[in-house]
């Protein structure tokens, strides 16, 4: 999707209005708008955030996300340092954004 088309698909916070159009390519474009290049490590977290959203119909707060990462992906990835290394501006907000999910209610 061209960047101008993509921008029309975003809400005022830069999140997709319609999550059903999400693809990895769109995630990469969203990240590039924020000067971030997504790696397989990022996509691992995005998939987990999508799974948690599908299970709970809500974006997870940081503590729950860290806990679930530790359970599902292992001890070495289940900590806030790892998440901030991947998403320096805010792991929950930006992982949700790139995963095609709404802005978390608990994020400013």
């Amino acid at each position: 999707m061209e960047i101008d088309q993509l921008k029309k698909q975003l809400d005022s916070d830069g999140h997709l209005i319609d999550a059903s159009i999400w693809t990895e390519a769109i995630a990469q474009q969203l990240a590039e708008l924020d000067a971030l290049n997504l790696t397989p490590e990022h996509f691992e977290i995005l998939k987990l955030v999508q799974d948690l959203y599908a299970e709970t119909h809500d974006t997870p707060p940081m503590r729950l996300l860290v806990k679930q990462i530790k359970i599902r992906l292992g001890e070495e990835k289940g900590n806030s340092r790892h998440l901030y290394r991947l998403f320096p501006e805010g792991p929950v907000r930006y992982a949700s954004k790139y995963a095609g999910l709404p802005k978390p209610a608990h994020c400013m």
Side-chain angles (χ1 to χ4, degrees), residues 72-86:
R72 298 176 189 209
L73 301 177
E75 195 78 30
E76 69 283 350
K77 295 179 182 179
N79 61 71
S80 58
R81 286 183 313 281
H82 177 72
L83 286 175
Y84 273 101
R85 185 177 58 76
L86 294 173

Side-chain angles (χ1 to χ4, degrees), residues 4 6 11 16 23 29 31 38 43 45 52 59 65-68 73-74 82 91 93 97 104:
D4 289 334
L6 176 60
D11 66 16
L16 286 177
T23 64
Q29 286 179 301
L38 299 181
F43 282 104
I45 301 300
L52 290 171
T59 51
L65 180 58
V66 169
K67 182 179 179 179
Q68 288 300 310
L73 301 177
H82 177 72
R93 165 85 193 282
K97 179 179 178 179

Side-chain angles (χ1 to χ4, degrees), residues 16 18-28 30 38 42-60 65 68-69 72 92 94-102:
L16 286 177
D18 179 4
S20 71
I21 70 166
W22 184 90
T23 64
E24 287 189 7
I26 286 176
Q28 192 67 256
L30 290 171
L38 299 181
H42 289 94
F43 282 104
E44 186 175 51
I45 301 300
L46 299 185
K47 176 68 173 133
L48 191 143
V49 169
Q50 289 172 331
D51 290 348
L52 290 171
Y53 188 83
E55 293 168 16
T56 65
H57 306 289
D58 198 9
T59 51
L65 180 58
Q68 288 300 310
I69 291 170
R72 298 176 189 209
V92 173
Y94 287 90
S96 296
K97 179 179 178 179
Y98 306 145
L101 303 174

